[in-house]
Amino acid sequence: MHPAFSVIFLTTLIGIGQGLFLALFTGQVYSLANLIPVQESLGFYALGSLLSLLFLALGLISSVFHLGRPERAWRAVAMWRTSWLSREVIVLPLFMLLVFIYGVAHYFGWTQPLFMVADTLPVDLTLIVGVLASVTAFALFICTAMIYASLKFLKEWHTALTVSNYTLLGLASGFMSAAAFSAYVNNDLVFLFGIWAVIFTLAGAVSRGASLIRNRALRDKYGLPTAIGVRHPNMKQLSQGFMGGAFNTREFFHGRTPEAVRLIRWFFLLTVFPIPVVLMAVAYSLESTSLPIAAFGLQYLGLIAERWYFFAEAKHPQNIYYQSMA
């Protein structure tokens, strides 16, 4: 498939926004359990929520460049019963609204307990909104991933590993960004978020590695005889009958050489998984505040390459017919 950078930026940026919010809320839950000190609402949670919204908004803006007629985008919500894309269009703004309310509640200090649970757990507005936003964040991970995992004719995507990859890589980059944000504002939660970022990165490495191994073992069910309807054991395509490319040869194939694709695969395998983990380990030993920021930046560059490879790896059935031109 032809990787569209508007979709690459959409999926990677909203993944960071979702993961970053979940990291912030994890920090709040930890403080409620008295595992870490209570963080300052205005300088940490409100500012972190604003940063999460910024990533989500950038992703939403980039998606507009993928639309042929942006003014008709609102019609997508009408297909929510059958379309995962339609569900994503509904869940994404709902999640952004909840993150906005969460940030506003912290900004104005609306953290007075509304009621107590079992006389031990004070429940305030930010906790209620945080739970709702966390559920919505995971729903958004599923909606985004199922847009691709539900396509049965693209075997490279049609697997539960697509859902786990989108979720784990979003959590890894989100918690990595939370560690970078904490380092930037000189907050004590750098290594709490860093440890979770490493855990999600390693889990993402296992899941993404499993999908690469699975896809390499796939065998084409269809071939040239099924493409043109001629049954013969020895067929070879010699010419397409035209000199230049067409919509089908451009839209459904990435157009890069096998060597370039292998180089991109090795680039993302190194920059998404082992290098950020090593940088976080060195940051922990040196108590560095700059290395978590470098780890996040490098991992995001790798995620762009990972998502490009995800789209390029899928072999559209139409390329069976257009194989030499493609």
Side-chain angles (χ1 to χ4, degrees):
M1 293 288 287
H2 173 70
F5 276 97
S6 55
V7 179
I8 291 173
F9 286 123
L10 165 68
T11 56
T12 53
L13 288 171
I14 66 172
I16 294 174
Q18 293 163 256
L20 174 56
F21 173 79
L22 290 169
L24 294 173
F25 190 61
T26 299
Q28 183 176 357
V29 172
Y30 268 64
S31 63
L32 278 174
N34 295 320
L35 297 174
I36 59 173
V38 176
Q39 305 301 308
E40 197 251 328
S41 276
L42 178 60
F44 184 70
Y45 292 113
L47 190 58
S49 300
L50 178 63
L51 191 59
S52 173
L53 276 175
L54 180 62
F55 282 118
L56 294 165
L58 288 174
L60 193 60
I61 291 170
S62 69
S63 71
V64 174
F65 294 97
H66 192 62
L67 302 175
R69 300 292 297 270
E71 72 276 11
R72 297 179 181 175
W74 63 272
R75 296 184 179 182
V77 300
M79 303 298 291
W80 62 271
R81 292 181 180 85
T82 56
S83 168
W84 285 103
L85 176 62
S86 179
R87 292 162 189 160
E88 183 193 43
V89 170
I90 295 171
V91 175
L92 176 55
L94 175 61
F95 175 63
M96 293 178 71
L97 175 63
L98 290 169
V99 173
F100 175 76
I101 296 172
Y102 181 83
V104 167
H106 275 292
Y107 180 83
F108 288 105
W110 297 337
T111 54
Q112 298 79 17
L114 300 175
F115 56 89
M116 299 288 290
V117 175
D119 294 329
T120 57
L121 177 63
V123 177
D124 60 26
L125 178 62
T126 62
L127 190 62
I128 296 172
V129 176
V131 170
L132 294 174
S134 298
V135 173
T136 310
F138 282 106
L140 182 55
F141 276 130
I142 293 172
C143 290
T144 304
M146 283 304 294
I147 293 172
Y148 311 103
S150 63
L151 300 178
K152 295 181 180 179
F153 61 94
L154 292 177
K155 292 182 289 184
E156 290 83 357
W157 296 350
H158 187 54
T159 166
L161 289 170
T162 298
V163 180
S164 66
N165 289 337
Y166 269 71
T167 304
L168 290 172
L169 295 181
L171 289 171
S173 58
F175 275 78
M176 199 70 79
S177 69
F181 167 63
S182 298
Y184 181 75
V185 298
N186 198 23
N187 185 278
D188 294 334
L189 302 186
V190 176
F191 296 109
L192 169 68
F193 293 142
I195 289 171
W196 276 110
V198 168
I199 291 172
F200 288 129
T201 298
L202 294 177
V206 173
S207 178
R208 193 67 177 97
S211 69
L212 289 174
I213 294 171
R214 170 191 176 274
N215 292 347
R216 177 171 290 187
L218 289 174
R219 293 292 179 269
D220 290 334
K221 182 178 179 181
Y222 304 101
L224 198 54
T226 59
I228 62 175
V230 176
R231 301 290 179 181
H232 192 281
N234 186 20
M235 296 178 61
K236 183 179 180 181
Q237 184 187 46
L238 298 177
S239 173
Q240 286 291 337
F242 47 81
M243 299 294 291
F247 175 82
N248 283 342
T249 58
R250 291 191 299 268
E251 189 66 18
F252 298 105
F253 190 70
H254 51 77
R256 298 293 184 272
T257 63
E259 292 77 16
V261 174
R262 278 196 295 272
L263 183 64
I264 291 171
R265 183 179 64 214
W266 279 110
F267 176 78
F268 89 73
L269 285 175
L270 290 173
T271 53
V272 172
F273 304 114
I275 295 179
V277 170
V278 171
L279 288 176
M280 289 304 298
V282 175
Y284 179 76
S285 61
L286 299 180
E287 297 184 356
S288 168
T289 56
S290 59
L291 286 179
I293 299 174
F296 166 66
L298 193 60
Q299 188 176 58
Y300 182 66
L301 287 177
L303 277 177
I304 294 175
E306 187 275 337
R307 209 48 50 90
W308 186 95
Y309 187 87
F310 169 78
F311 289 108
E313 188 182 31
K315 298 173 184 173
H316 196 283
Q318 71 97 42
N319 283 328
I320 297 170
Y321 182 78
Y322 290 101
Q323 50 190 284
S324 64
M325 277 304 301

